[in-house]
Amino acid sequence: MKAFEANFDGLVGPTHNYAGLSFGNVASQNNQDAPSNPREAAKQGLVKMKALHDMGLVQGVLAPQERPDVHTLRRLGLSGSDADVLFQARQQAPAILAACCSASSMWTANAATVSPSADTLDGRVHFTPANLTNKFHRSIEHETTGRILQATFSDDKHFAHHQALPGAEHFGDEGAANHTRFCTEYGEQGVEFFVHGRYAFDSSKPAPQKYPARHTFEAAEAVARLHGLNMGKVVIAQQNPDVIDQGVFHNDVIAVGNRNLLFCHQEAFLNQDEVKKELHKRFGEGFRVTEVPSDKVSVQDAVKTYLFNSQLLALPNGKTLLVIPEECRGNPRVWAYVEELLASDSGIDAVKVFDLKQSMCNGGGPACLRLRVVLNEAEHAAMNQHALMSDQLFATLNGWVDKHYRDRLTEAELADPQLLIESRTALDELTRILNLGAVYQFQR
Ligand code: SUG
């Protein structure tokens, strides 16, 4: 049966702000306290989704989360009315309040790991929401993420949903940001490639010194087991600890792959030659690697421009498109390299640039904003059709953003009880637009 890759982008939530929450993510730290523009952020994301839809690709939308998360604040001992909880949090625990207001679920590359039905033992598409344990503001996403994924892919004949891994740092799991699937045809068995930052149960192995390694080897192995993957078609590799220390907090900041192509930086992996050999061996004939040398694009430039946080897309005509952020065009070395890619036999045929500045300032590029789900025609027909991008949905969501979103938000305003009311009103309406049912705690 014909299969293809669908992209599910996270819709930016109404509380999008810059709180400097992600140690090890250089952009997040550098933009702490800058005012944000949630309306513009949401619209920049919608423009990308609509453009991909217009190219003939299957594009979906995943709803944002309920923020401020007063339920978590209550678990942490803040009490009274919702307004009281916010007020007290601002007085007593402003950093925790900021964490409970983050719109970070927009980066759906971290929502889950997804294995297509062609790779799994029971022939279903498997989803494991990522526990995101390394960052408190992200560790509170997975329950609602799981509900949104179930509401989007609800037919258990086709879709299997797992619980997130145990929420201890030993099983730190950052989801698809550290997972790539290679294949010849989407509907045939592929090679699943998991990348981790450290070993939790083996301290003899190398690890970064300055910034945290968020994802463990043990988490990667556990997800491969849960999904019923054929271990002969799985490669698990370690990220180069030195690049984590330079701000590569997820593998998708330094490598991207699709079909038979891995596009990566020369310094992406520990023992890179071995990793490439292993991928060639498991994939068989036709695997190729386009490796970018450090003297053309430094790790620093990769982190600044997010060249590798790109989407490698198979267009309906079979050509490969690279979707990159505007920051790449603004950097002469990176842009010269992109031009070289297009002029050479790189496996990349075309490039499209998007302005995603609102997300980029928090360290989220085009690839962070999307979760890839390979679907065959039957699975595509079985999923929630209301979550699929269309001319109509694009117009509806733009109108919805105009109606509910602010065009400026600062950290000082996060405790404004009106923001909570605005956010819940917007999300309540969104669940009807996307036909999700009661996925939020305030609706249950
Ligand atoms: O987890 N930033 C996100 C960015 C995630 C990018 N995703 C991928 N590479 N796939 C993170 O670090 C910053 C929020 C703040 O500082 O306000 C933040 O959470």
Side-chain angles (χ1 to χ4, degrees):
M1 198 183 302
K2 194 175 161 264
F4 46 83
E5 175 189 287
N7 283 274
F8 288 81
D9 280 41
L11 189 53
V12 178
T15 61
H16 158 64
N17 73 95
Y18 302 114
L21 300 174
S22 280
F23 177 61
N25 167 346
V26 182
S28 152
Q29 290 180 264
N30 288 347
N31 291 300
Q32 175 162 19
D33 295 335
S36 65
N37 184 338
R39 186 184 299 168
E40 186 175 62
K43 290 195 163 197
Q44 286 176 343
L46 283 168
V47 167
K48 174 166 88 78
M49 296 185 222
K50 178 65 161 50
L52 267 52
H53 162 76
D54 288 345
M55 287 174 201
L57 301 168
V58 178
Q59 177 68 53
V61 184
L62 294 176
Q65 306 227 341
E66 177 190 348
R67 297 287 181 272
D69 181 354
V70 288
H71 316 286
T72 295
L73 290 170
R74 286 183 193 282
R75 274 181 71 190
L76 297 172
L78 299 148
S79 58
S81 66
D82 287 343
D84 291 340
V85 167
L86 293 170
F87 180 78
Q88 285 175 36
R90 180 158 160 65
Q91 301 288 312
Q92 297 173 27
I96 297 170
L97 172 66
C100 289
C101 290
S102 178
S104 52
S105 68
M106 70 170 88
W107 300 296
T108 53
N110 306 116
T113 306
V114 185
S115 295
S117 53
D119 297 353
T120 64
L121 194 60
D122 67 1
R124 295 190 293 170
V125 185
H126 282 243
F127 298 83
T128 299
N131 61 21
L132 303 173
T133 50
N134 188 258
K135 299 281 177 266
F136 172 63
H137 69 290
R138 305 221 58 185
S139 70
I140 55 178
E141 292 175 23
H142 65 84
E143 267 183 45
T144 303
T145 298
R147 286 201 287 266
I148 292 171
L149 289 171
Q150 297 209 23
T152 310
F153 305 97
S154 62
D155 184 343
D156 62 10
K157 181 166 157 250
H158 293 289
F159 307 114
H161 294 272
H162 302 275
Q163 250 186 7
L165 299 181
E169 60 168 27
H170 300 74
F171 295 101
D173 175 13
E174 298 284 316
N178 291 330
H179 174 255
T180 309
R181 179 191 188 244
F182 298 103
C183 62
T184 306
E185 296 290 341
Y186 287 114
E188 289 169 9
Q189 161 121 67
V191 170
E192 297 207 15
F193 180 43
F194 293 78
V195 181
H196 59 93
R198 69 188 173 88
Y199 289 77
F201 291 88
D202 184 351
S203 53
S204 71
K205 293 284 198 324
Q209 301 300 309
K210 183 176 169 198
Y211 290 146
R214 300 189 190 187
H215 200 128
T216 66
F217 167 77
E218 290 78 1
E221 252 192 339
V223 170
R225 270 194 300 263
L226 281 168
H227 290 195
L229 301 181
N230 168 357
M231 292 313 271
K233 289 285 185 183
V234 169
V235 177
I236 304 182
Q238 185 169 356
Q239 234 188 309
N240 176 355
D242 295 343
V243 301
I244 296 181
D245 280 339
Q246 293 174 69
V248 183
F249 56 98
H250 288 135
N251 179 58
D252 71 3
V253 176
I254 197 112
V256 59
N258 186 31
R259 294 198 285 189
N260 65 336
L261 176 65
L262 170 64
F263 174 54
C264 67
H265 192 273
Q266 179 184 15
E267 297 176 53
F269 309 105
L270 192 68
N271 304 325
Q272 189 141 324
D273 286 340
E274 287 305 309
V275 174
K276 288 189 293 182
K277 234 186 263 163
E278 199 58 25
L279 285 168
H280 275 287
K281 192 171 112 197
R282 307 279 166 150
F283 188 96
E285 198 80 355
F287 186 71
R288 61 181 296 184
V289 181
T290 295
E291 195 175 68
V292 183
S294 307
D295 60 4
K296 294 223 163 120
V297 175
S298 66
V299 172
Q300 237 183 6
D301 277 342
V303 171
K304 269 196 214 131
T305 64
Y306 269 38
L307 170 64
F308 299 95
N309 198 259
S310 44
Q311 289 179 261
L312 261 182
L313 298 166
L315 295 174
N317 63 9
K319 301 261 188 227
T320 294
L321 172 73
L322 188 74
V323 166
I324 52 177
E326 192 61 61
E327 282 72 5
C328 292
R329 189 148 55 185
N331 178 309
R333 292 173 299 278
V334 169
W335 192 245
Y337 184 77
V338 168
E339 289 185 322
E340 199 181 307
L341 269 181
L342 291 177
S344 61
D345 174 32
S346 61
I348 295 168
D349 306 300
V351 165
K352 187 148 175 62
V353 180
F354 284 94
D355 176 5
L356 296 164
K357 191 155 194 308
Q358 285 289 324
S359 168
M360 284 289 287
C361 288
N362 251 338
C368 299
L369 287 161
R370 62 95 170 94
L371 180 67
R372 300 194 273 191
V373 184
V374 168
L375 297 170
N376 64 31
E377 283 166 343
E379 291 153 358
H380 183 218
M383 65 158 285
N384 173 0
Q385 303 296 304
H386 294 83
L388 290 170
M389 186 47 72
S390 63
D391 294 352
Q392 174 64 47
L393 184 61
F394 180 68
T396 304
L397 291 177
N398 270 294
W400 172 83
V401 169
D402 283 330
K403 183 167 149 202
H404 297 288
Y405 280 49
R406 299 186 182 191
D407 61 6
R408 189 184 147 88
L409 191 60
T410 60
E411 212 183 314
E413 289 153 345
L414 298 176
D416 175 2
Q418 193 54 37
L419 182 67
L420 176 69
I421 295 169
E422 285 166 26
S423 173
R424 285 184 176 171
T425 307
L427 296 182
D428 204 36
E429 196 175 312
L430 184 68
T431 51
R432 287 190 293 277
I433 297 172
L434 300 178
N435 199 25
L436 295 176
V439 289
Y440 300 115
Q441 220 166 320
F442 76 88
Q443 298 174 310
R444 295 161 84 89

